[in-house]
Amino acid sequence: MPQPNAAKPISQSSTPAPVSKATAAREVELKLHVAPADLARIVALPVVTGLADGAARVRRLRTVYYDTPDLWLYAHGVALRVRREAGPEGDRFIQTLKTVNSATASDSAGVAVRREWDWPVAGEVLELSILSSEAIAGLVPSDIRGALVPLFVTDMRRTTLILRPDPLTAIELAADDGVVEAAGRTQPISEIELELKAGRVARLFDVGMLLQQAVPMRIGTESKAEIGLRMVTGRPPAPADSPPLSLSPLTTVAEAYRHIQRHALRQFLANEACALAGGDVEGLHRMRVALRRLRTAHRLFTPLIASAQADRLVADSRALAKRLGPARGWDVTLTDVIAPLSASAKAPPGLPALAAAARSAGSGPARDAVAAILAPSCTAMVLALAAWLEDGAWLTNPDGSRRAALDAPITSVAAGWLTARHGKIGKAPKLPEDAPGWDKLRRRLRALRYTVEFFRGLYPDGATQPFVQALEDLLLAFDTDHDAATSRKMLSALPGVDRKTLAATVAWIDRRAEKRRRALPDLWTRFLATPPFWG
């Protein structure tokens, strides 16, 4: 079998094997991380055996993943592998080409959606002739095929069952226990995959909730291929960008609500790996932003949704965001104050000790943030909200007037909601002078910014750009000033630090903040003078 770190490229044989017939499929699955000690008992849970259709099947799966040395396939969202499946009936070999994630705007948050092509092959060696098939040739161009090498291996013991929560639904439960082997290292894998074979996506979340109530689990967003590639490159998980919303004038109000909330949940989950790795503060920040977007959207749509269940779930998201806040505050203090001041000529002699005290003070909130993300209540909240969104009872049960409003195009309410948010900002020529008024304006600007993000796709990009830019520049200045005030407050509350060092650091924060504050009146005037694009 090829070794994961082999350097020799795979080359075409002089007499290529005939191309096997591929089986193409759209894979829709929900991944749940589970403690190794709990994995073995999941298949025997009453909630599982009660839904099972047939006996469990156990197989050994050893899979070799291929790419070019410069990771061309990964950069283009493609995974290529050859899998050996060992079972009682003998070994078989499957070559698979898979898009890493082809989820569209209409797909559910937390669910990985991929296109996959499978070919039966003769053995463990990659068959390049298969890749010339017209349907997939563009995914692996001919000029890179000769450079493909085995990069890493996954070795799993997989137990599978078919679950039937209702007569129209079939879900494959796969319990994977094994390792990823890459770059001379191994990483254990202990997870449940729920793959939808037939039926509605909402049932995936329903089954996920049943399992999570019996055994603590956490939603996973990284595929085994992504884990292996991360091990090969040595790069930690990066913060995930939030793609633009794709509402159109034909989108209904109900569809817009569901899409916006899916988008927020997807952004929250996509940044989880980065936040847990602890190396990039942006991951935690984007998780909090996702939760704020979720709440902002829910407040907009609440009069039409009118769901006590959704209200409770959104309240849970606020409680989670509060637990993430202190860690974010210390992250900002260390990266935006301590680090740049340490690199400047004005760094006070006692700054290393102050930095150590700040890191020590931030370690507790950081642990609490990680605990909050890993807590079963976090997974329960996401699964429940996703299930509620996908089930759609909130859409089928409202009275006649609310149902008509939900079925109307989003353009029937978007401009009015934008106007209402814009009106809360006020048009006073001068900025407020007191701290409460300052913070209230910042929060209202942020709510307007999120509302603009929701609906800007309904308007021509050229028309939205001036207003969006003016709003973002103003809000960035407010947020930066708020972060400086938070850092000043947190550092000043540290016990036992040298007062001269603290005073010099606070003075440095204040000097930078004053420079930014002098720019705020002009940014405010520019914002007030920029006409709204929806008017």
Side-chain angles (χ1 to χ4, degrees):
M1 167 157 198
Q3 295 303 308
N5 298 315
K8 184 179 179 180
I10 305 297
S11 58
Q12 296 249 26
S13 64
S14 57
T15 56
V19 177
S20 306
K21 185 177 180 181
T23 301
R26 184 174 184 267
E27 184 183 66
V28 180
E29 70 178 24
L30 174 65
K31 186 189 299 288
L32 297 164
H33 296 300
V34 58
D38 291 327
L39 185 65
R41 65 187 183 92
I42 287 176
V43 177
L45 288 172
V47 69
V48 172
T49 57
L51 299 177
D53 183 5
R57 181 186 181 196
V58 180
R59 292 169 293 163
R60 168 90 179 275
L61 306 178
R62 186 166 174 86
T63 307
V64 183
Y65 285 82
Y66 292 83
D67 206 333
T68 61
D70 62 354
L71 305 181
W72 191 97
L73 294 181
Y74 173 66
H76 291 80
V78 177
L80 178 62
R81 72 190 189 199
V82 176
R83 169 171 289 170
R84 178 181 182 178
E85 298 186 1
E89 66 276 14
D91 292 355
R92 67 172 185 150
F93 303 91
I94 302 293
Q95 183 167 313
T96 298
L97 184 68
K98 180 185 292 192
T99 57
V100 173
N101 199 336
S102 57
T104 67
S106 62
D107 286 315
S108 305
V111 170
V113 182
R114 304 180 181 97
R115 291 289 293 166
E116 180 178 310
W117 293 264
D118 294 322
W119 299 267
V121 292
E124 296 174 335
V125 177
L126 190 66
E127 293 189 12
L128 292 180
S129 58
I130 288 175
L131 303 177
S132 63
S133 170
E134 183 178 350
I136 52 89
L139 295 175
V140 189
S142 59
D143 59 347
I144 73 160
R145 293 174 198 163
L148 293 169
V149 294
L151 285 186
F152 59 90
V153 168
T154 66
D155 195 350
M156 300 290 153
R157 182 178 185 273
R158 171 169 289 181
T159 304
T160 56
L161 272 171
I162 294 296
L163 307 182
R164 292 196 175 273
D166 61 62
L168 299 179
T169 302
I171 295 172
E172 182 184 74
L173 181 152
D176 283 348
D177 180 17
V179 296
V180 180
E181 305 168 2
R185 297 179 293 117
T186 62
Q187 178 168 322
I189 297 292
S190 177
E191 64 188 25
I192 295 292
E193 291 181 358
L194 299 174
E195 182 178 348
L196 187 67
K197 299 295 187 180
R200 299 174 57 200
V201 173
R203 299 288 80 80
L204 275 181
F205 294 110
D206 290 340
V207 172
M209 283 193 294
L210 290 173
L211 295 178
Q212 202 267 346
Q213 288 165 6
V215 175
M217 299 186 189
R218 179 172 59 86
I219 297 174
T221 56
E222 282 191 305
S223 68
K224 296 179 183 71
E226 289 169 313
I227 292 172
L229 283 161
R230 184 155 50 78
M231 292 171 67
V232 168
T233 62
R235 292 193 294 263
D241 290 331
S242 178
L245 285 158
S246 55
L247 303 184
S248 79
L250 298 179
T251 304
T252 68
V253 172
E255 290 168 343
Y257 176 75
R258 179 182 272 158
H259 175 57
I260 292 168
Q261 299 298 58
R262 282 170 171 168
H263 192 271
L265 287 174
R266 189 176 294 123
Q267 183 189 13
F268 175 80
L269 292 170
N271 283 285
E272 180 185 272
C274 178
L276 292 177
D280 192 325
V281 301
E282 191 64 20
L284 184 61
H285 173 59
R286 293 188 189 185
M287 292 184 80
R288 296 179 68 233
V289 167
L291 295 176
R292 285 203 296 261
R293 286 176 173 160
L294 188 151
R295 296 196 304 273
T296 300
H298 187 67
R299 284 195 296 269
L300 278 178
F301 287 83
T302 286
L304 301 179
I305 303 300
S307 167
Q309 181 184 3
D311 292 344
R312 287 194 299 271
L313 292 169
V314 172
D316 290 343
S317 78
R318 177 184 290 275
L320 174 61
K322 285 184 177 179
R323 289 191 65 185
L324 304 183
R328 168 63 180 167
W330 282 112
D331 283 340
V332 170
T333 299
L334 289 166
T335 56
D336 291 357
V337 175
I338 298 295
L341 180 55
S342 297
S344 77
K346 297 183 178 180
L351 189 60
L354 180 63
R359 283 191 291 271
S360 177
S363 62
R367 288 192 298 270
D368 189 55
V370 169
I373 295 169
L374 296 177
S377 58
C378 177
T379 297
M381 182 270 292
V382 174
L383 287 173
L385 184 52
W388 177 85
L389 276 172
E390 302 307 326
D391 186 65
W394 55 275
L395 178 57
T396 57
N397 293 336
D399 57 39
S401 61
R402 282 196 292 114
R403 179 56 194 257
L406 288 169
D407 287 342
I410 188 61
T411 50
S412 66
V413 295
W417 287 349
L418 284 163
T419 298
R421 287 287 188 197
H422 192 229
K424 288 182 178 292
I425 302 300
K427 295 185 178 180
K430 290 186 177 181
L431 291 164
E433 296 182 359
D434 61 308
W438 192 268
D439 193 57
K440 181 187 290 186
L441 178 56
R442 182 182 67 87
R443 291 175 182 274
R444 288 179 172 178
L445 286 167
R446 190 171 65 194
L448 175 62
R449 197 266 302 274
Y450 292 151
T451 308
V452 164
E453 289 175 355
F454 299 156
F455 302 130
R456 65 181 295 185
L458 302 174
Y459 302 87
D461 187 59
T464 65
Q465 193 57 38
F467 184 87
V468 170
Q469 194 62 58
L471 173 59
E472 289 185 347
D473 290 346
L474 178 62
L475 185 57
L476 177 61
F478 267 94
D479 282 343
T480 304
D481 184 77
H482 174 75
D483 287 344
T486 300
S487 295
R488 185 190 308 112
K489 181 179 178 181
M490 296 175 82
L491 289 172
S492 297
L494 286 174
V497 298
D498 178 69
R499 305 322 290 178
K500 288 185 177 180
T501 300
L502 178 61
T505 303
V506 168
W508 184 83
I509 294 173
D510 289 342
R511 285 194 299 272
R512 293 210 309 173
E514 182 57 31
K515 288 181 181 179
R516 289 190 295 266
R517 283 212 169 198
R518 285 200 292 267
L520 267 167
D522 288 341
L523 292 172
W524 176 243
T525 300
R526 174 184 157 211
F527 170 73
L528 293 180
T530 306
F533 57 83
W534 61 90

